[in-house]
Amino acid sequence: QVKSRGKDGYCFFDSSMTVDTSNRLGLERDLRRALACDELEVHYQPQICLRSGRMTSVEALVRWRHPERGLLLPGEFLPLASETNLMADISDKVLTTACREVGRWIAAGHRDLRLAVNLSPAQVEHPEFVERLVAQLRLLHFPARNLEIEITENVIMNDLAQVSQTLRELARHGVKIAVDDFGTGYSSLNYLHHLPIHILKVDRSFVQGVRAGNDGACIVNAIVAMAHGLKLEIVAEGVENQDQLDYLSEIGCQRVQGFFCGRPQSGADIGALLDQPPIHLAV
Ligand code: C2E
Ligand code: MG
Ligand code: MG
Ligand code: MG
């Protein structure tokens, strides 16, 4: 991996590079400032229910509006955040911001709108996570049943006993649990029987190649069939064109998310979308 480094020591980095010590300090300082100065924003990507054509959920995705570098995506700063223990602060910030904003839309009449939030490993493994989350939801008047949390298979397998307890407590409060990037982690399928999982999010890499008859389609078919058998809801990620949408609809996928259905966008833009009639997805 090649980094372009100027004489002044300024160093560009992206998600494909590990953060070395020489630029870590600068970026860490930047990231702390970002937290203190409110440079972190939450964008929301629509999830569309294929039956109704309605935006029934939004996934919260963090962004950093950097004063010099513009809008940064999570891949450009979350690796650094987890290396520097800033992940917990960022996650708290995302959760509060998203619950506050989406909570307003729920209170304004979009009663069933769900908010999906990605959890970091550190959050899930924190012993007081559920207690603090529930307290925060109460404070913000955000109904727990409108919240979905997304975790990856790797996080589940990392500490199965602890995660299992955390998910059980969350489910008891009415929070829904989604497995993110399903099919790409290092895990057995055994946990699906033992954990309170409600939703599988089929990873984008499988959705990319769906067209009847090819390998991509075989894997998506198998995941959807399994989900039906286990009575889990399916959300397909990364839907980018009509062909994929048609295929997913045909095999009984309930929800879709992807650039074809809506990009991640600001709260203001989502708020405006919510007041429009359901989008017509021709399937
Ligand atoms: P994810 O949770 O799997 O989120 C979906 C990612 O796929 C988003 O990237 C989204 O912009 C992108 N995406 C959605 N539809 C399409 C599509 O049709 N085509 C393509 N090519 N991409 C699509 P983003 O926002 O860059 O986020 C990347 C990852 O960063 C997320 O993957 C999630 O794992 C993590 N992340 C984002 N926000 C947070 C956060 O607040 N907390 C934590 N812990 N992780 C986060
Ligand atoms: Mg996600
Ligand atoms: Mg995902
Ligand atoms: Mg993904």
Side-chain angles (χ1 to χ4, degrees):
Q1 286 164 349
V2 182
K3 292 183 190 177
S4 48
R5 188 188 300 267
K7 285 250 163 23
D8 56 0
Y10 187 78
C11 180
F12 298 95
F13 85 110
D14 66 32
S15 55
S16 67
M17 300 170 183
T18 52
V19 185
D20 69 31
T21 30
S22 58
N23 74 29
R24 176 182 295 185
L25 283 177
L27 285 162
E28 185 178 343
R29 189 197 50 220
D30 273 12
L31 200 47
R32 283 188 196 285
R33 184 205 57 212
L35 273 160
C37 302
D38 255 2
E39 291 172 16
L40 296 182
E41 296 179 8
V42 180
H43 283 197
Y44 303 91
Q45 186 172 29
Q47 293 182 353
I48 309 295
C49 164
L50 280 178
R51 201 159 35 78
S52 63
R54 285 188 181 278
M55 173 165 58
T56 50
S57 332
V58 292
E59 179 175 2
L61 296 162
V62 66
R63 304 287 183 256
W64 178 2
R65 196 165 294 280
H66 193 286
E68 289 107 42
R69 294 160 67 195
L71 195 68
L72 302 183
L73 296 173
E76 298 172 276
F77 62 93
L78 286 190
L80 171 86
S82 46
E83 282 179 42
T84 52
N85 293 323
L86 288 172
M87 198 64 201
D89 290 339
I90 293 177
S91 305
D92 282 350
K93 165 88 190 162
V94 170
L95 198 70
T96 316
T97 306
C99 285
R100 197 170 279 141
E101 200 152 30
V102 176
R104 272 201 297 270
W105 301 327
I106 293 171
H110 301 280
R111 295 274 162 211
D112 298 320
L113 183 68
R114 288 207 200 157
L115 165 66
V117 178
N118 296 283
L119 290 196
S120 67
Q123 277 176 295
V124 189
E125 284 158 21
H126 194 287
E128 278 146 38
F129 173 69
V130 179
E131 204 177 310
R132 281 172 28 191
L133 174 72
V134 169
Q136 204 177 14
L137 293 180
R138 227 167 256 150
L139 195 72
L140 298 168
H141 305 293
F142 189 96
R145 63 173 191 88
N146 290 60
L147 184 67
E148 284 178 10
I149 59 127
E150 298 193 2
I151 52 169
T152 62
E153 295 161 279
N154 296 343
V155 172
I156 292 173
M157 298 316 282
N158 194 27
D159 187 348
L160 196 52
Q162 169 72 57
V163 169
S164 162
Q165 196 191 330
T166 301
L167 297 189
R168 259 166 234 295
E169 283 173 38
L170 284 173
R172 212 172 36 238
H173 284 96
V175 175
K176 314 290 182 301
I177 292 138
V179 181
D180 205 354
D181 305 333
F182 184 76
T184 62
Y186 295 96
S187 73
S188 78
L189 292 174
N190 213 20
Y191 70 86
L192 290 176
H193 278 310
H194 303 300
L195 299 183
I197 306 286
H198 306 94
I199 299 146
L200 299 183
K201 296 193 75 180
V202 183
D203 191 65
R204 183 168 85 225
S205 58
F206 301 124
V207 172
Q208 235 155 34
V210 299
R211 225 169 300 108
N214 69 6
D215 292 354
C218 290
I219 294 179
V220 173
N221 291 347
I223 295 175
V224 171
M226 184 182 72
H228 285 162
L230 292 169
K231 302 205 164 34
L232 302 176
E233 194 183 348
I234 283 280
V235 180
E237 294 191 315
V239 176
E240 291 182 349
N241 59 53
Q242 182 78 53
D243 285 350
Q244 293 166 345
L245 188 76
D246 290 346
Y247 189 81
L248 292 161
S249 165
E250 197 179 304
I251 63 172
C253 169
Q254 290 99 336
R255 257 195 270 172
V256 287
Q257 176 180 353
F259 294 166
F260 189 67
C261 313
R263 298 223 164 215
Q265 51 204 290
S266 71
D269 288 345
I270 291 285
L273 268 185
L274 277 170
D275 295 325
Q276 285 169 18
I279 61 167
H280 183 66
L281 294 168
V283 289

